[in-house]
Amino acid sequence: MDAARALPRVGVTAPGRAASVAKSWIWLGLLLAPFLLFVVYPFAALVKTSVVTPTGAFTLRFYQDLFAIPRYLDKTWNTLAIAALTTTLSLLLGVPLSFYLWKRQFPGKRILVNLLVIPYMTPNYILALAIIFLFGQNGALAFALRRLLIDPEYRLPFNILFTYHGILAVFIFHSLTLVVFLVLALLAGIEPEYEEAARSLGASSLTAIRRVVLPMAVPAIAGAGVLVFSRVMVDYVVISLMGGYRYATLAVEVVNRYFGYLTYELAAALAVFLSTMTMAIMYGYLYWFRWRRRA
Amino acid sequence: MSGGGRRGWLRLADVMVATLLGFFVFAPLAVLVLLSLTEEWGRAFRGGLTLRWLLEVPNAFGAAIAHSVLIAGVTMAATLLMSAMVAYGVLTRRVHGPILVDTLVMTPLTIPYIVLGLALILAFKAPPFRLHGTVWLLLIGHLMIAMPLGYRTTQAVMEATDLSLVEAARSLGASEWTAVRRVILPLIAPGLVAASLLAFVTSLQNYSLSFMIAPERYKLAPLEIFTYVFAETGAYSNYNLAAAVSLCMMLVLLSALGVVRWLTGQSWHENINV
């Protein structure tokens, strides 16, 4: 970016400067008009819907409802809980796994690591389908066991559809590989000298990793966590597919309010609330990251 | 513990890690392949391989796939054009306020698709702009969510290119347009292809936004996949067909993303949309 700023202004000569400034603003306006019209204006309309009564008066009633009615508090709680649970589990599993993969060499490791992009790039609804096909009562595992046990009536001891662990399984499939991928990408860039230096000063291998390498990986781990958390938090399709409305989150409830009950105002308030949270998380991470870099 | 014993344990750990990863990587793909190629799901392990379901895909999902590809294609072209213009304008300092531009273009990344969809509906269901229920709104929505990725890639490739080459060509008498077309364009072409493919993929795989704003009866592939899964009556419940169309879609997405990576050398994680 800095190199580009140092460039001479292309095609600008001194006498044409005023004209070029005007032209510059016109350019800006033209290029940004679609975003103002189709992102900023709709969002403003959304906010407006959430604070105006059907008769046109200003009100904060819908936001009060959000925090007063147990039903909506439940949805908020659900949203945060499933996001936090997925994030914690995939970090707890994914981070040690990435460190292990980083340290160890075994045949097939490179290929496996490269292929991690498959689940990571698969749309979550296809992943959800695949998991239903795998672990559902009519899935591959059930069929295999039925043949193995020669019992056509055999049913798996767990249900994957309409259960909490079913939803969690899909999210973990989607997130664990993301964590491993991001952390491993960072670890690959760390020079081995750091760890060797720590070890030459007498630290054990584990201590060297914990005290020297792990702190360097914190931004990547936090970034992966933020990504996983916000991906789960905004999800609509996996939860509505796997859990019906029993485990509805805020995003599901927005859809439910809008299409089911046609209560625009509440749907809008829920939507504003949800996107405030996602924006806070993303920008919070961004600022933390910059602040950490500067410090 | 002796050295040999420790090595044995590590070997075992290697195998376990490899199995776990292999399971995460291959299990979903394998079950889709298996399902799409077996005659009848109940007899999945009794042989009877068939291409019937894959060949049935154009029949059953033809309209939906055509719509999805059309929307994704138009989104791709528009994203390419707009992100190239914005990036060039910002980098040659022809446009004021680069931070404002960046923020505005990137905003859709921070808004959940469901929320963006609801916002678009509420803004455009009534006059002055009545677009709700039209394909135009669907296109606009897809363009907005594809732009951040397209723009980021285009900007990265332009930043890496020496734009003062334009000045050099101009001093030799070329017009700016000629200079850009003949000098810059060939240099950034791979990056532009990558940006287009990312936009295409973003649009093609989107579920939530399409679910909100697609016109009624306008079928789209991601939405249609479930037709054959949750048909409770049983008459239409067809896991094989659903798996076949999912598999096709995955192959398209993965190969497009593979090309992006090959062209730009970007690592994968730079290309994901939350």
Side-chain angles (χ1 to χ4, degrees):
Chain A
M1 200 74 193
D2 294 334
R5 295 241 167 83
L7 285 178
R9 279 168 174 258
V10 176
V12 175
T13 50
R17 200 173 162 78
S20 95
V21 168
K23 234 166 114 183
S24 152
W25 285 104
I26 294 172
W27 260 82
L28 181 69
L30 276 180
L31 292 178
L32 294 188
F35 296 94
L36 291 171
L37 188 57
F38 298 121
V39 178
V40 177
Y41 167 64
F43 202 77
L46 183 75
V47 174
K48 189 191 153 211
T49 308
S50 72
V51 292
V52 173
T53 60
T55 55
F58 175 83
T59 177
L60 286 176
R61 198 179 79 208
F62 304 113
Y63 288 95
Q64 279 168 1
D65 286 356
L66 228 62
F67 296 104
I69 299 177
R71 183 190 162 95
Y72 301 118
L73 282 175
D74 277 0
K75 304 300 180 243
T76 308
W77 170 243
N78 273 354
T79 309
L80 295 175
I82 188 89
L85 197 56
T86 310
T87 312
T88 313
L89 285 177
S90 37
L91 286 182
L92 276 181
L93 251 162
V95 173
L97 201 59
S98 343
F99 275 87
Y100 187 86
L101 285 169
W102 179 56
K103 288 303 289 178
R104 291 284 298 170
Q105 288 300 333
F106 54 85
K109 186 189 113 172
R110 266 186 72 87
I111 299 176
L112 265 182
V113 167
N114 278 315
L115 289 179
L116 277 180
V117 295
I118 296 178
Y120 162 67
M121 284 296 169
T122 307
N124 53 8
Y125 50 90
I126 292 188
L127 217 46
L129 277 189
I131 284 173
I132 295 173
F133 295 152
L134 260 178
F135 299 118
Q137 291 294 358
N138 287 317
L141 185 65
F143 275 117
L145 285 175
R146 264 168 228 169
R147 282 185 62 78
L148 213 66
L149 304 170
I150 324 175
D151 175 9
E153 296 300 307
Y154 177 81
R155 290 181 69 76
L156 292 173
F158 55 86
N159 273 314
I160 200 89
L161 267 178
F162 310 117
T163 59
Y164 206 68
H165 51 258
I167 298 173
L168 207 57
V170 178
F171 283 141
I172 295 278
F173 253 80
H174 213 203
S175 312
L176 179 69
T177 41
L178 174 92
V179 171
V180 173
F181 210 81
L182 289 179
V183 177
L184 210 53
L186 179 120
L187 289 177
I190 292 182
E191 305 285 336
E193 283 88 38
Y194 291 107
E195 199 202 337
E196 281 161 18
R199 293 205 62 183
S200 74
L201 293 171
S204 74
S205 182
L206 268 181
T207 312
I209 288 183
R210 192 166 52 83
R211 299 284 295 271
V212 178
V213 182
L214 195 60
M216 294 168 103
V218 163
I221 296 172
V226 166
L227 220 50
V228 168
F229 194 91
S230 34
R231 263 181 164 201
V232 174
M233 203 163 112
V234 303
D235 175 78
Y236 163 74
V237 60
V238 172
I239 294 192
S240 61
L241 189 67
M242 303 289 295
Y245 287 113
R246 200 182 315 168
Y247 302 106
T249 54
L250 283 172
V252 177
E253 190 63 15
V254 169
V255 175
N256 203 12
R257 283 288 118 189
Y258 180 75
F259 287 110
Y261 300 84
L262 293 174
T263 44
Y264 302 153
E265 296 83 5
L266 260 169
L270 280 162
V272 171
F273 179 53
L274 175 64
S275 40
T276 312
M277 288 205 293
T278 54
M279 282 179 188
I281 288 170
M282 284 187 185
Y283 282 113
Y285 170 70
L286 212 64
Y287 284 116
W288 173 78
F289 189 75
R290 283 191 193 145
W291 169 80
R292 200 175 181 281
R293 254 194 175 168
R294 230 180 290 129
Chain B
M1 195 189 296
S2 72
R6 184 160 181 268
R7 192 171 298 164
W9 283 113
L10 276 174
R11 197 39 59 78
L12 185 68
D14 284 349
V15 172
M16 280 167 62
V17 166
T19 314
L20 182 71
L21 278 183
F23 176 72
F24 270 87
V25 170
F26 291 116
L29 194 62
V31 76
L32 291 184
V33 173
L34 192 72
L35 260 175
S36 351
L37 293 180
T38 44
E39 188 69 50
E40 199 183 320
W41 185 216
R43 288 179 305 192
F45 302 99
R46 211 175 285 166
L49 291 182
T50 177
L51 283 178
R52 187 175 141 207
W53 305 117
L54 284 169
L55 295 175
E56 180 80 14
V57 166
N59 247 337
F61 296 95
I65 291 174
H67 288 163
S68 279
V69 170
L70 178 73
I71 298 285
V74 177
T75 302
M76 175 177 88
T79 305
L80 178 64
L81 196 68
M82 278 180 63
S83 47
M85 278 166 63
V86 177
Y88 186 74
V90 168
L91 287 180
T92 56
R93 311 209 329 176
R94 183 160 289 123
V95 169
H96 279 300
I99 295 172
L100 178 69
V101 177
D102 277 8
T103 313
L104 211 50
V105 175
M106 290 295 169
T107 303
L109 269 189
T110 62
I111 304 176
Y113 290 157
I114 290 289
V115 175
L116 185 63
L118 182 67
L120 284 169
I121 292 175
L122 291 176
F124 296 108
K125 75 179 160 59
F129 313 104
R130 208 179 209 131
L131 291 171
H132 180 39
T134 66
V135 180
W136 297 110
L137 194 66
L138 183 65
L139 267 175
I140 287 165
H142 278 223
L143 178 61
M144 291 302 122
I145 61 166
M147 268 303 285
L149 289 173
Y151 176 67
R152 197 157 58 190
T153 309
T154 314
Q155 202 205 24
V157 67
M158 280 196 184
E159 243 172 45
T161 309
D162 188 0
L163 290 183
S164 64
L165 285 173
V166 174
E167 196 71 341
R170 293 202 60 190
S171 72
L172 294 173
S175 73
E176 187 178 359
W177 169 236
T178 313
V180 168
R181 190 165 48 89
R182 300 282 293 271
V183 181
I184 300 294
L185 208 57
L187 286 174
I188 62 173
L192 293 185
V193 174
S196 323
L197 282 175
L198 281 178
F200 187 82
V201 163
T202 306
S203 163
L204 191 70
Q205 70 169 8
N206 182 275
Y207 184 97
S208 305
L209 185 65
S210 305
F211 171 78
M212 291 297 281
I213 59 176
E216 260 179 87
R217 286 190 292 278
Y218 192 80
K219 293 178 173 175
L220 287 166
L223 305 179
E224 285 297 300
I225 287 181
F226 301 106
T227 325
Y228 293 93
V229 179
F230 288 116
E232 291 295 336
T233 51
Y236 292 109
S237 171
N238 188 333
Y239 278 16
N240 302 79
L241 199 50
V245 72
S246 305
L247 185 67
C248 294
M249 201 148 142
M250 249 179 96
L251 292 180
V252 171
L253 294 176
L254 287 172
S255 39
L257 288 164
V259 174
V260 169
R261 185 168 138 101
W262 176 61
L263 282 174
T264 59
Q266 268 182 338
S267 64
W268 295 96
H269 64 268
E270 288 168 63
N271 304 332
I272 70 161
N273 217 343
V274 173

